[in-house]
């Protein structure tokens, strides 16, 4: 086999690897599907070279509003540290609130703390804090 043919095969292999369907934003597989301990779903679709990623969050957590429809999610990963945000306004409902999750990616698990910031009708703001653990789904 000539050197020219060999180098074309190598180039084609590199192209296939670089454009294969599962990319990684740091250690975060894109696309990927995650569930947390409250039954909520997170679907990640997009990422860039700067560590930004995007997707949707479907809230199924008991005791919260804005359930069962997708809300846009935007986040950032640097090393094993992760931050993502959902503003709870979509085609179906506006809960006048947003959640910020911050945490660590350890293997296939995202360990997070969150703050839910709600704008009340009387002009005040309420902050609620909690923990979520997300598991990567096969
Ligand atoms: C709201 O009730 O104002 C909007 C929905 C908030 C859902 C929260 S976000 C943190 C926690 N984890 C979930 O999966 N759902 C709740």
């Amino acid at each position: 086999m000539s050197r020219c043919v060999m180098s074309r095969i190598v180039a084609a292999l590199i192209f296939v690897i670089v454009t294969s369907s599962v990319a990684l934003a740091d250690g975060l597989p894109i696309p990927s599907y995650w569930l947390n301990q409250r039954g909520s779903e997170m679907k990640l679709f997009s990422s860039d070279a700067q560590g930004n990623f995007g997707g949707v969050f479907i809230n199924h957590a008991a005791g919260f509003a804005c359930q069962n429809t997708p809300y846009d999610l935007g986040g950032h990963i640097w090393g094993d540290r992760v931050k993502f945000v959902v503003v709870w306004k979509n085609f179906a409902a506006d809960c006048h609130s947003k959640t910020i999750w911050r945490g660590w990616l350890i293997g296939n698990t995202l360990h997070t703390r969150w703050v839910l910031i709600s704008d009340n009708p009387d002009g005040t703001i309420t902050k609620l804090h909690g923990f979520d653990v997300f598991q990567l789904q096969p």
Side-chain angles (χ1 to χ4, degrees):
M1 196 181 299
S2 74
R3 285 177 83 135
C4 180
V5 171
M6 277 290 284
S7 57
R8 282 176 190 219
I9 290 170
V10 169
L13 280 172
I14 290 170
F15 178 80
V16 167
I17 290 165
V18 168
T19 59
S20 66
S21 60
V22 177
L24 286 177
D26 264 313
L28 204 58
I30 305 288
S32 55
Y33 176 56
W34 302 76
L35 287 178
N36 73 14
Q37 82 286 3
R38 301 171 201 274
S40 295
E41 303 171 79
M42 183 167 71
K43 299 177 183 181
L44 304 181
F45 303 134
S46 63
S47 63
D48 68 18
Q50 283 71 48
N52 302 304
F53 59 88
V56 294
F57 195 101
I58 306 173
N59 172 40
H60 299 296
F64 294 90
C66 278
Q67 295 220 7
N68 304 326
T69 59
Y71 291 82
D72 289 340
L73 172 157
H76 192 78
I77 181 163
W78 60 108
D80 59 355
R81 306 232 25 207
V82 178
K83 175 185 174 183
F84 53 97
V85 178
V86 171
V87 175
W88 298 105
K89 181 177 180 177
N90 71 1
F91 62 90
D94 182 356
C95 282
H96 303 281
S97 59
K98 69 177 173 187
T99 304
I100 304 162
W101 287 262
R102 289 187 178 87
W104 284 266
L105 176 64
I106 302 172
N108 288 341
T109 308
L110 258 175
H111 301 266
T112 67
R113 295 192 64 170
W114 52 260
V115 55
L116 171 62
I117 304 169
S118 303
D119 297 324
N120 301 313
D122 65 1
T124 61
I125 287 174
T126 303
K127 289 185 180 179
L128 189 66
H129 294 264
F131 296 89
D132 279 342
V133 178
F134 295 83
Q135 293 292 344
L136 180 64
Q137 301 301 300

